[in-house]
Amino acid sequence: MNLDNIHNVYFVGIGGIGMSALARYFHAKNKRVAGYDKTQTDITDGLESIGIQVHFNDSVANIPDAFLNYDTTLVVYTPAIPKDNMELVYFKNQPSFSVLKRSQVLGLITENTFCLAVAGTHGKTTTTSILGHLLNECNVPVTAFLGGISENYNSNLILKGTKVSVVEADEFDRSFLTLSPDLACITSMDADHLDIYGDASELIKSFEDFSKRVKENGKLFVKNGLPLNGITYGIEDDSDYSIHNIKIENGVYVFDVKTPKTTLEKLQFNLPGRHNMSNALIALAMAVEYGCPHQQLAKALASYKGVKRRFSYHIKTDNLIFIDDYAHHPEEINAVHQAVREMYPEKHVLAIFQPHLFSRTRDFAEEFAKSLSNFDEVLLLDIYPARELPIEGVNSKWLLDKIENKNKQLINKSEIVPKIKESQAQIILTIGAGDIGEEVKQIKQALSVAS
């Protein structure tokens, strides 16, 4: 398909973080863009503010007339959309329409670019965001599609040119197998999405398949310890790219990076947690291999601000810290816990967690319980179902009973603020990939008034 011949792009599920980045991209390319989503959010408000039509009732009658011309329209959908969505069913039943998954469209956009792809069950969004920022600050003509809202750009799209592309290589439903990157990395291969893969060995096989998608003269980077061949990276080890001499100065990491050719000294990075330091390292390694000047990279790394809902500070005073994070897998919760304890070792920590997906809760119940037990207090919300129907016996009460912590409660959203006010905690965390992020504004306002 030649995207130059497409004048209209219609998105079914336009409010998704990846979908909205594509919508912004096509809008910037002077295509007519519109779409449907189930819920109005800050993301859809942002799309409408730049002139993209969005509606929230699933009905063929709501599709603007211009997008019913199959000769000039591309229809893009996300697998998160239910198969019985009326608009998606309509387009799929019209054989003349081009109807593609988001991942297929990313593959088309990036196939004629120098593509840098970030894969892994954790760390994709932050790593992609850092990498896009580094290349942008080094004046590379880059388009970066981000899986979160960058604090530096207040957007999930960096658009400085079209010669180079940066993308998240998403393992969900094997989407990343549509890509053919020049440089790629794999940050982790922990079991996840078992509702799709069935077994962890199938997930690992998909990463092996992805590694073979790297172009013949390309380069694959892998976190040290993963069972794949490539350029290795790690912290305080013998990797090809490794971080050493770590210090924390005024809440900022300062460290050296050993590369295969030299050592970059006294780099600064603002995000807490060793997982974020690891994300910074691989982004830096990929930018070095691309050819960015070391001095510019050091300056760019120090200016990186993070991604919204990735250890995002909303209150930061001497008496109270409020942090919001997207963590939805036990390993991600462990990473948040490590970062909090490293930065605030003597503080009392309250974690408010919303599990995401019945199947993930079922598959990792013991691991979730162990991760959550590390906090001083735990408030547990009901499971956010996303694309799933309930699974008998799998609920938040079942998970709560497994948590080995006496300071634990099952609550609903209306109780969040009162329960926080009852607590003596100095660190408040909201954690989860569902709609718990929608509560942040209210929590911040209530705590600001209280203090």
Side-chain angles (χ1 to χ4, degrees), residues 140-176:
V140 174
V142 62
T143 298
F145 297 93
L146 312 179
I149 304 298
S150 165
E151 297 280 10
N152 287 84
Y153 306 96
N154 196 32
S155 178
N156 52 356
L157 179 70
I158 301 172
L159 189 55
K160 194 165 190 168
T162 56
K163 180 182 176 183
V164 177
S165 59
V166 174
V167 297
E168 287 191 27
D170 191 358
E171 76 279 3
F172 176 72
D173 81 344
R174 299 175 173 84
S175 291
F176 55 6

PDB file of all heavy atoms in Angstrom, residues 140-176:
ATOM      1  N   VAL A 140      18.654  14.956  14.767  1.00  0.00           N
ATOM      2  CA  VAL A 140      18.385  13.874  13.819  1.00  0.00           C
ATOM      3  C   VAL A 140      16.977  14.080  13.253  1.00  0.00           C
ATOM      4  O   VAL A 140      16.049  14.389  14.004  1.00  0.00           O
ATOM      5  CB  VAL A 140      18.493  12.504  14.520  1.00  0.00           C
ATOM      6  CG1 VAL A 140      18.071  11.379  13.586  1.00  0.00           C
ATOM      7  CG2 VAL A 140      19.909  12.276  15.039  1.00  0.00           C
ATOM      8  N   PRO A 141      16.760  13.918  11.945  1.00  0.00           N
ATOM      9  CA  PRO A 141      15.416  14.072  11.366  1.00  0.00           C
ATOM     10  C   PRO A 141      14.540  12.874  11.718  1.00  0.00           C
ATOM     11  O   PRO A 141      14.366  11.943  10.928  1.00  0.00           O
ATOM     12  CB  PRO A 141      15.688  14.165   9.867  1.00  0.00           C
ATOM     13  CG  PRO A 141      16.989  13.445   9.664  1.00  0.00           C
ATOM     14  CD  PRO A 141      17.780  13.674  10.908  1.00  0.00           C
ATOM     15  N   VAL A 142      13.985  12.882  12.929  1.00  0.00           N
ATOM     16  CA  VAL A 142      13.341  11.705  13.496  1.00  0.00           C
ATOM     17  C   VAL A 142      11.846  11.903  13.688  1.00  0.00           C
ATOM     18  O   VAL A 142      11.374  13.001  14.017  1.00  0.00           O
ATOM     19  CB  VAL A 142      13.999  11.337  14.859  1.00  0.00           C
ATOM     20  CG1 VAL A 142      13.828  12.460  15.874  1.00  0.00           C
ATOM     21  CG2 VAL A 142      13.471  10.021  15.405  1.00  0.00           C
ATOM     22  N   THR A 143      11.100  10.821  13.486  1.00  0.00           N
ATOM     23  CA  THR A 143       9.719  10.707  13.935  1.00  0.00           C
ATOM     24  C   THR A 143       9.689   9.618  14.997  1.00  0.00           C
ATOM     25  O   THR A 143      10.098   8.487  14.729  1.00  0.00           O
ATOM     26  CB  THR A 143       8.768  10.325  12.795  1.00  0.00           C
ATOM     27  OG1 THR A 143       8.784  11.339  11.797  1.00  0.00           O
ATOM     28  CG2 THR A 143       7.344  10.156  13.307  1.00  0.00           C
ATOM     29  N   ALA A 144       9.236   9.950  16.215  1.00  0.00           N
ATOM     30  CA  ALA A 144       9.185   8.980  17.305  1.00  0.00           C
ATOM     31  C   ALA A 144       7.743   8.794  17.759  1.00  0.00           C
ATOM     32  O   ALA A 144       7.070   9.761  18.126  1.00  0.00           O
ATOM     33  CB  ALA A 144      10.059   9.437  18.473  1.00  0.00           C
ATOM     34  N   PHE A 145       7.283   7.551  17.685  1.00  0.00           N
ATOM     35  CA  PHE A 145       5.940   7.192  18.144  1.00  0.00           C
ATOM     36  C   PHE A 145       6.074   6.645  19.561  1.00  0.00           C
ATOM     37  O   PHE A 145       6.692   5.594  19.771  1.00  0.00           O
ATOM     38  CB  PHE A 145       5.324   6.139  17.233  1.00  0.00           C
ATOM     39  CG  PHE A 145       5.129   6.596  15.817  1.00  0.00           C
ATOM     40  CD1 PHE A 145       6.099   6.367  14.857  1.00  0.00           C
ATOM     41  CD2 PHE A 145       3.967   7.260  15.432  1.00  0.00           C
ATOM     42  CE1 PHE A 145       5.923   6.777  13.538  1.00  0.00           C
ATOM     43  CE2 PHE A 145       3.779   7.686  14.129  1.00  0.00           C
ATOM     44  CZ  PHE A 145       4.766   7.447  13.177  1.00  0.00           C
ATOM     45  N   LEU A 146       5.498   7.342  20.540  1.00  0.00           N
ATOM     46  CA  LEU A 146       5.682   7.003  21.944  1.00  0.00           C
ATOM     47  C   LEU A 146       4.422   6.378  22.530  1.00  0.00           C
ATOM     48  O   LEU A 146       3.304   6.765  22.185  1.00  0.00           O
ATOM     49  CB  LEU A 146       6.048   8.259  22.755  1.00  0.00           C
ATOM     50  CG  LEU A 146       7.157   9.148  22.174  1.00  0.00           C
ATOM     51  CD1 LEU A 146       7.384  10.348  23.088  1.00  0.00           C
ATOM     52  CD2 LEU A 146       8.441   8.364  21.959  1.00  0.00           C
ATOM     53  N   GLY A 147       4.619   5.445  23.467  1.00  0.00           N
ATOM     54  CA  GLY A 147       3.493   4.799  24.134  1.00  0.00           C
ATOM     55  C   GLY A 147       3.047   5.509  25.385  1.00  0.00           C
ATOM     56  O   GLY A 147       2.354   4.933  26.230  1.00  0.00           O
ATOM     57  N   GLY A 148       3.438   6.767  25.525  1.00  0.00           N
ATOM     58  CA  GLY A 148       3.046   7.581  26.669  1.00  0.00           C
ATOM     59  C   GLY A 148       3.249   9.047  26.319  1.00  0.00           C
ATOM     60  O   GLY A 148       3.798   9.369  25.265  1.00  0.00           O
ATOM     61  N   ILE A 149       2.806   9.916  27.202  1.00  0.00           N
ATOM     62  CA  ILE A 149       2.935  11.351  26.959  1.00  0.00           C
ATOM     63  C   ILE A 149       4.273  11.828  27.524  1.00  0.00           C
ATOM     64  O   ILE A 149       4.495  11.796  28.737  1.00  0.00           O
ATOM     65  CB  ILE A 149       1.774  12.137  27.607  1.00  0.00           C
ATOM     66  CG1 ILE A 149       0.425  11.597  27.107  1.00  0.00           C
ATOM     67  CG2 ILE A 149       1.911  13.625  27.298  1.00  0.00           C
ATOM     68  CD1 ILE A 149       0.204  11.722  25.624  1.00  0.00           C
ATOM     69  N   SER A 150       5.158  12.266  26.649  1.00  0.00           N
ATOM     70  CA  SER A 150       6.459  12.763  27.068  1.00  0.00           C
ATOM     71  C   SER A 150       6.314  14.076  27.828  1.00  0.00           C
ATOM     72  O   SER A 150       5.621  14.987  27.387  1.00  0.00           O
ATOM     73  CB  SER A 150       7.360  12.979  25.843  1.00  0.00           C
ATOM     74  OG  SER A 150       8.480  13.778  26.167  1.00  0.00           O
ATOM     75  N   GLU A 151       6.995  14.173  28.973  1.00  0.00           N
ATOM     76  CA  GLU A 151       6.975  15.415  29.742  1.00  0.00           C
ATOM     77  C   GLU A 151       7.727  16.529  29.007  1.00  0.00           C
ATOM     78  O   GLU A 151       7.417  17.698  29.159  1.00  0.00           O
ATOM     79  CB  GLU A 151       7.612  15.189  31.125  1.00  0.00           C
ATOM     80  CG  GLU A 151       6.878  14.190  32.008  1.00  0.00           C
ATOM     81  CD  GLU A 151       5.663  14.785  32.694  1.00  0.00           C
ATOM     82  OE1 GLU A 151       5.264  15.914  32.345  1.00  0.00           O
ATOM     83  OE2 GLU A 151       5.093  14.114  33.577  1.00  0.00           O
ATOM     84  N   ASN A 152       8.714  16.156  28.201  1.00  0.00           N
ATOM     85  CA  ASN A 152       9.473  17.168  27.460  1.00  0.00           C
ATOM     86  C   ASN A 152       8.652  17.816  26.359  1.00  0.00           C
ATOM     87  O   ASN A 152       8.801  19.014  26.072  1.00  0.00           O
ATOM     88  CB  ASN A 152      10.725  16.550  26.831  1.00  0.00           C
ATOM     89  CG  ASN A 152      11.806  16.231  27.850  1.00  0.00           C
ATOM     90  OD1 ASN A 152      11.767  15.169  28.475  1.00  0.00           O
ATOM     91  ND2 ASN A 152      12.757  17.135  28.038  1.00  0.00           N
ATOM     92  N   TYR A 153       7.760  17.044  25.717  1.00  0.00           N
ATOM     93  CA  TYR A 153       7.041  17.532  24.536  1.00  0.00           C
ATOM     94  C   TYR A 153       5.532  17.613  24.749  1.00  0.00           C
ATOM     95  O   TYR A 153       4.817  18.083  23.865  1.00  0.00           O
ATOM     96  CB  TYR A 153       7.346  16.614  23.341  1.00  0.00           C
ATOM     97  CG  TYR A 153       8.833  16.462  23.109  1.00  0.00           C
ATOM     98  CD1 TYR A 153       9.518  15.372  23.622  1.00  0.00           C
ATOM     99  CD2 TYR A 153       9.548  17.432  22.427  1.00  0.00           C
ATOM    100  CE1 TYR A 153      10.896  15.234  23.442  1.00  0.00           C
ATOM    101  CE2 TYR A 153      10.923  17.308  22.234  1.00  0.00           C
ATOM    102  CZ  TYR A 153      11.587  16.211  22.751  1.00  0.00           C
ATOM    103  OH  TYR A 153      12.942  16.085  22.585  1.00  0.00           O
ATOM    104  N   ASN A 154       5.064  17.131  25.906  1.00  0.00           N
ATOM    105  CA  ASN A 154       3.626  17.070  26.195  1.00  0.00           C
ATOM    106  C   ASN A 154       2.871  16.416  25.046  1.00  0.00           C
ATOM    107  O   ASN A 154       1.791  16.847  24.642  1.00  0.00           O
ATOM    108  CB  ASN A 154       3.059  18.467  26.485  1.00  0.00           C
ATOM    109  CG  ASN A 154       1.695  18.401  27.151  1.00  0.00           C
ATOM    110  OD1 ASN A 154       1.425  17.474  27.908  1.00  0.00           O
ATOM    111  ND2 ASN A 154       0.832  19.352  26.846  1.00  0.00           N
ATOM    112  N   SER A 155       3.455  15.360  24.505  1.00  0.00           N
ATOM    113  CA  SER A 155       2.873  14.669  23.351  1.00  0.00           C
ATOM    114  C   SER A 155       3.409  13.242  23.313  1.00  0.00           C
ATOM    115  O   SER A 155       4.436  12.926  23.931  1.00  0.00           O
ATOM    116  CB  SER A 155       3.241  15.406  22.058  1.00  0.00           C
ATOM    117  OG  SER A 155       2.716  14.720  20.923  1.00  0.00           O
ATOM    118  N   ASN A 156       2.699  12.391  22.570  1.00  0.00           N
ATOM    119  CA  ASN A 156       3.191  11.036  22.332  1.00  0.00           C
ATOM    120  C   ASN A 156       3.786  10.904  20.930  1.00  0.00           C
ATOM    121  O   ASN A 156       3.961   9.800  20.416  1.00  0.00           O
ATOM    122  CB  ASN A 156       2.082  10.000  22.540  1.00  0.00           C
ATOM    123  CG  ASN A 156       0.823  10.335  21.756  1.00  0.00           C
ATOM    124  OD1 ASN A 156       0.739  11.378  21.106  1.00  0.00           O
ATOM    125  ND2 ASN A 156      -0.164   9.460  21.813  1.00  0.00           N
ATOM    126  N   LEU A 157       4.083  12.058  20.319  1.00  0.00           N
ATOM    127  CA  LEU A 157       4.691  12.071  18.988  1.00  0.00           C
ATOM    128  C   LEU A 157       5.773  13.137  18.937  1.00  0.00           C
ATOM    129  O   LEU A 157       5.543  14.286  19.291  1.00  0.00           O
ATOM    130  CB  LEU A 157       3.627  12.358  17.923  1.00  0.00           C
ATOM    131  CG  LEU A 157       4.121  12.430  16.470  1.00  0.00           C
ATOM    132  CD1 LEU A 157       4.539  11.053  15.971  1.00  0.00           C
ATOM    133  CD2 LEU A 157       3.050  13.034  15.567  1.00  0.00           C
ATOM    134  N   ILE A 158       6.972  12.737  18.520  1.00  0.00           N
ATOM    135  CA  ILE A 158       8.049  13.685  18.217  1.00  0.00           C
ATOM    136  C   ILE A 158       8.215  13.676  16.705  1.00  0.00           C
ATOM    137  O   ILE A 158       8.452  12.624  16.110  1.00  0.00           O
ATOM    138  CB  ILE A 158       9.372  13.290  18.895  1.00  0.00           C
ATOM    139  CG1 ILE A 158       9.201  13.215  20.408  1.00  0.00           C
ATOM    140  CG2 ILE A 158      10.486  14.273  18.528  1.00  0.00           C
ATOM    141  CD1 ILE A 158      10.414  12.640  21.142  1.00  0.00           C
ATOM    142  N   LEU A 159       8.063  14.815  16.076  1.00  0.00           N
ATOM    143  CA  LEU A 159       8.076  14.878  14.610  1.00  0.00           C
ATOM    144  C   LEU A 159       9.054  15.962  14.162  1.00  0.00           C
ATOM    145  O   LEU A 159       8.726  17.131  14.096  1.00  0.00           O
ATOM    146  CB  LEU A 159       6.667  15.166  14.078  1.00  0.00           C
ATOM    147  CG  LEU A 159       6.449  15.054  12.580  1.00  0.00           C
ATOM    148  CD1 LEU A 159       6.863  13.697  12.045  1.00  0.00           C
ATOM    149  CD2 LEU A 159       4.974  15.302  12.241  1.00  0.00           C
ATOM    150  N   LYS A 160      10.280  15.526  13.874  1.00  0.00           N
ATOM    151  CA  LYS A 160      11.320  16.453  13.444  1.00  0.00           C
ATOM    152  C   LYS A 160      11.780  16.168  12.016  1.00  0.00           C
ATOM    153  O   LYS A 160      12.554  16.915  11.437  1.00  0.00           O
ATOM    154  CB  LYS A 160      12.512  16.382  14.397  1.00  0.00           C
ATOM    155  CG  LYS A 160      13.498  17.535  14.233  1.00  0.00           C
ATOM    156  CD  LYS A 160      14.443  17.621  15.404  1.00  0.00           C
ATOM    157  CE  LYS A 160      15.246  18.908  15.357  1.00  0.00           C
ATOM    158  NZ  LYS A 160      15.962  19.165  16.605  1.00  0.00           N
ATOM    159  N   GLY A 161      11.328  15.057  11.457  1.00  0.00           N
ATOM    160  CA  GLY A 161      11.721  14.663  10.113  1.00  0.00           C
ATOM    161  C   GLY A 161      11.263  13.238   9.875  1.00  0.00           C
ATOM    162  O   GLY A 161      10.694  12.595  10.756  1.00  0.00           O
ATOM    163  N   THR A 162      11.513  12.724   8.693  1.00  0.00           N
ATOM    164  CA  THR A 162      11.003  11.401   8.335  1.00  0.00           C
ATOM    165  C   THR A 162      12.094  10.422   7.917  1.00  0.00           C
ATOM    166  O   THR A 162      11.800   9.302   7.518  1.00  0.00           O
ATOM    167  CB  THR A 162       9.976  11.519   7.196  1.00  0.00           C
ATOM    168  OG1 THR A 162      10.582  12.184   6.080  1.00  0.00           O
ATOM    169  CG2 THR A 162       8.751  12.295   7.643  1.00  0.00           C
ATOM    170  N   LYS A 163      13.346  10.822   8.029  1.00  0.00           N
ATOM    171  CA  LYS A 163      14.436   9.933   7.633  1.00  0.00           C
ATOM    172  C   LYS A 163      14.602   8.784   8.634  1.00  0.00           C
ATOM    173  O   LYS A 163      14.933   7.651   8.258  1.00  0.00           O
ATOM    174  CB  LYS A 163      15.742  10.732   7.532  1.00  0.00           C
ATOM    175  CG  LYS A 163      16.944   9.899   7.131  1.00  0.00           C
ATOM    176  CD  LYS A 163      18.216  10.751   7.109  1.00  0.00           C
ATOM    177  CE  LYS A 163      19.448   9.897   6.811  1.00  0.00           C
ATOM    178  NZ  LYS A 163      20.696  10.696   6.844  1.00  0.00           N
ATOM    179  N   VAL A 164      14.389   9.067   9.909  1.00  0.00           N
ATOM    180  CA  VAL A 164      14.599   8.104  10.990  1.00  0.00           C
ATOM    181  C   VAL A 164      13.302   7.935  11.775  1.00  0.00           C
ATOM    182  O   VAL A 164      12.572   8.915  11.994  1.00  0.00           O
ATOM    183  CB  VAL A 164      15.722   8.593  11.934  1.00  0.00           C
ATOM    184  CG1 VAL A 164      15.906   7.645  13.113  1.00  0.00           C
ATOM    185  CG2 VAL A 164      17.036   8.743  11.166  1.00  0.00           C
ATOM    186  N   SER A 165      13.011   6.708  12.183  1.00  0.00           N
ATOM    187  CA  SER A 165      11.825   6.468  13.009  1.00  0.00           C
ATOM    188  C   SER A 165      12.216   5.720  14.278  1.00  0.00           C
ATOM    189  O   SER A 165      13.136   4.898  14.279  1.00  0.00           O
ATOM    190  CB  SER A 165      10.765   5.664  12.236  1.00  0.00           C
ATOM    191  OG  SER A 165      11.290   4.414  11.825  1.00  0.00           O
ATOM    192  N   VAL A 166      11.509   6.046  15.356  1.00  0.00           N
ATOM    193  CA  VAL A 166      11.673   5.359  16.640  1.00  0.00           C
ATOM    194  C   VAL A 166      10.303   4.829  17.039  1.00  0.00           C
ATOM    195  O   VAL A 166       9.330   5.592  17.069  1.00  0.00           O
ATOM    196  CB  VAL A 166      12.214   6.311  17.726  1.00  0.00           C
ATOM    197  CG1 VAL A 166      12.233   5.617  19.084  1.00  0.00           C
ATOM    198  CG2 VAL A 166      13.607   6.790  17.369  1.00  0.00           C
ATOM    199  N   VAL A 167      10.215   3.529  17.333  1.00  0.00           N
ATOM    200  CA  VAL A 167       8.917   2.923  17.638  1.00  0.00           C
ATOM    201  C   VAL A 167       9.040   1.946  18.798  1.00  0.00           C
ATOM    202  O   VAL A 167      10.096   1.357  19.036  1.00  0.00           O
ATOM    203  CB  VAL A 167       8.329   2.174  16.417  1.00  0.00           C
ATOM    204  CG1 VAL A 167       8.058   3.121  15.276  1.00  0.00           C
ATOM    205  CG2 VAL A 167       9.247   1.050  15.965  1.00  0.00           C
ATOM    206  N   GLU A 168       7.924   1.793  19.499  1.00  0.00           N
ATOM    207  CA  GLU A 168       7.799   0.690  20.445  1.00  0.00           C
ATOM    208  C   GLU A 168       7.451  -0.557  19.654  1.00  0.00           C
ATOM    209  O   GLU A 168       6.522  -0.547  18.852  1.00  0.00           O
ATOM    210  CB  GLU A 168       6.691   0.972  21.464  1.00  0.00           C
ATOM    211  CG  GLU A 168       7.056   2.015  22.478  1.00  0.00           C
ATOM    212  CD  GLU A 168       6.052   2.080  23.618  1.00  0.00           C
ATOM    213  OE1 GLU A 168       5.400   1.050  23.905  1.00  0.00           O
ATOM    214  OE2 GLU A 168       5.918   3.157  24.214  1.00  0.00           O
ATOM    215  N   ALA A 169       8.200  -1.624  19.888  1.00  0.00           N
ATOM    216  CA  ALA A 169       7.924  -2.906  19.237  1.00  0.00           C
ATOM    217  C   ALA A 169       7.107  -3.736  20.223  1.00  0.00           C
ATOM    218  O   ALA A 169       7.643  -4.365  21.135  1.00  0.00           O
ATOM    219  CB  ALA A 169       9.228  -3.596  18.866  1.00  0.00           C
ATOM    220  N   ASP A 170       5.794  -3.723  20.051  1.00  0.00           N
ATOM    221  CA  ASP A 170       4.859  -4.270  21.040  1.00  0.00           C
ATOM    222  C   ASP A 170       4.677  -5.767  20.836  1.00  0.00           C
ATOM    223  O   ASP A 170       4.284  -6.215  19.755  1.00  0.00           O
ATOM    224  CB  ASP A 170       3.521  -3.542  20.916  1.00  0.00           C
ATOM    225  CG  ASP A 170       2.584  -3.853  22.066  1.00  0.00           C
ATOM    226  OD1 ASP A 170       2.958  -4.664  22.943  1.00  0.00           O
ATOM    227  OD2 ASP A 170       1.476  -3.293  22.090  1.00  0.00           O
ATOM    228  N   GLU A 171       4.926  -6.537  21.905  1.00  0.00           N
ATOM    229  CA  GLU A 171       4.785  -7.992  21.817  1.00  0.00           C
ATOM    230  C   GLU A 171       3.333  -8.448  21.898  1.00  0.00           C
ATOM    231  O   GLU A 171       3.020  -9.593  21.560  1.00  0.00           O
ATOM    232  CB  GLU A 171       5.601  -8.658  22.924  1.00  0.00           C
ATOM    233  CG  GLU A 171       5.017  -8.595  24.321  1.00  0.00           C
ATOM    234  CD  GLU A 171       5.279  -7.273  25.040  1.00  0.00           C
ATOM    235  OE1 GLU A 171       5.886  -6.355  24.427  1.00  0.00           O
ATOM    236  OE2 GLU A 171       4.870  -7.142  26.203  1.00  0.00           O
ATOM    237  N   PHE A 172       2.435  -7.565  22.349  1.00  0.00           N
ATOM    238  CA  PHE A 172       1.024  -7.951  22.451  1.00  0.00           C
ATOM    239  C   PHE A 172       0.514  -8.413  21.090  1.00  0.00           C
ATOM    240  O   PHE A 172       0.689  -7.747  20.093  1.00  0.00           O
ATOM    241  CB  PHE A 172       0.183  -6.770  22.961  1.00  0.00           C
ATOM    242  CG  PHE A 172      -1.293  -7.058  22.994  1.00  0.00           C
ATOM    243  CD1 PHE A 172      -1.823  -7.907  23.940  1.00  0.00           C
ATOM    244  CD2 PHE A 172      -2.149  -6.500  22.055  1.00  0.00           C
ATOM    245  CE1 PHE A 172      -3.183  -8.191  23.967  1.00  0.00           C
ATOM    246  CE2 PHE A 172      -3.501  -6.773  22.069  1.00  0.00           C
ATOM    247  CZ  PHE A 172      -4.023  -7.625  23.025  1.00  0.00           C
ATOM    248  N   ASP A 173      -0.084  -9.548  21.021  1.00  0.00           N
ATOM    249  CA  ASP A 173      -0.591 -10.223  19.806  1.00  0.00           C
ATOM    250  C   ASP A 173       0.451 -10.258  18.667  1.00  0.00           C
ATOM    251  O   ASP A 173       0.109 -10.253  17.491  1.00  0.00           O
ATOM    252  CB  ASP A 173      -1.939  -9.635  19.351  1.00  0.00           C
ATOM    253  CG  ASP A 173      -1.858  -8.352  18.539  1.00  0.00           C
ATOM    254  OD1 ASP A 173      -0.796  -7.694  18.545  1.00  0.00           O
ATOM    255  OD2 ASP A 173      -2.852  -8.009  17.891  1.00  0.00           O
ATOM    256  N   ARG A 174       1.744 -10.287  19.091  1.00  0.00           N
ATOM    257  CA  ARG A 174       2.866 -10.422  18.147  1.00  0.00           C
ATOM    258  C   ARG A 174       2.958  -9.257  17.158  1.00  0.00           C
ATOM    259  O   ARG A 174       3.479  -9.391  16.039  1.00  0.00           O
ATOM    260  CB  ARG A 174       2.779 -11.753  17.387  1.00  0.00           C
ATOM    261  CG  ARG A 174       2.849 -12.977  18.305  1.00  0.00           C
ATOM    262  CD  ARG A 174       2.646 -14.284  17.530  1.00  0.00           C
ATOM    263  NE  ARG A 174       2.870 -15.444  18.377  1.00  0.00           N
ATOM    264  CZ  ARG A 174       1.944 -15.977  19.184  1.00  0.00           C
ATOM    265  NH1 ARG A 174       0.739 -15.420  19.269  1.00  0.00           N
ATOM    266  NH2 ARG A 174       2.223 -17.044  19.922  1.00  0.00           N
ATOM    267  N   SER A 175       2.486  -8.090  17.579  1.00  0.00           N
ATOM    268  CA  SER A 175       2.460  -6.918  16.706  1.00  0.00           C
ATOM    269  C   SER A 175       3.837  -6.560  16.172  1.00  0.00           C
ATOM    270  O   SER A 175       3.980  -6.077  15.051  1.00  0.00           O
ATOM    271  CB  SER A 175       1.885  -5.705  17.466  1.00  0.00           C
ATOM    272  OG  SER A 175       0.522  -5.869  17.717  1.00  0.00           O
ATOM    273  N   PHE A 176       4.894  -6.796  16.983  1.00  0.00           N
ATOM    274  CA  PHE A 176       6.215  -6.345  16.573  1.00  0.00           C
ATOM    275  C   PHE A 176       6.797  -7.106  15.386  1.00  0.00           C
ATOM    276  O   PHE A 176       7.814  -6.712  14.819  1.00  0.00           O
ATOM    277  CB  PHE A 176       7.200  -6.329  17.733  1.00  0.00           C
ATOM    278  CG  PHE A 176       7.389  -7.612  18.513  1.00  0.00           C
ATOM    279  CD1 PHE A 176       6.798  -8.806  18.140  1.00  0.00           C
ATOM    280  CD2 PHE A 176       8.191  -7.618  19.647  1.00  0.00           C
ATOM    281  CE1 PHE A 176       6.991  -9.977  18.867  1.00  0.00           C
ATOM    282  CE2 PHE A 176       8.401  -8.774  20.384  1.00  0.00           C
ATOM    283  CZ  PHE A 176       7.791  -9.957  19.990  1.00  0.00           C
TER     284      PHE A 176
END
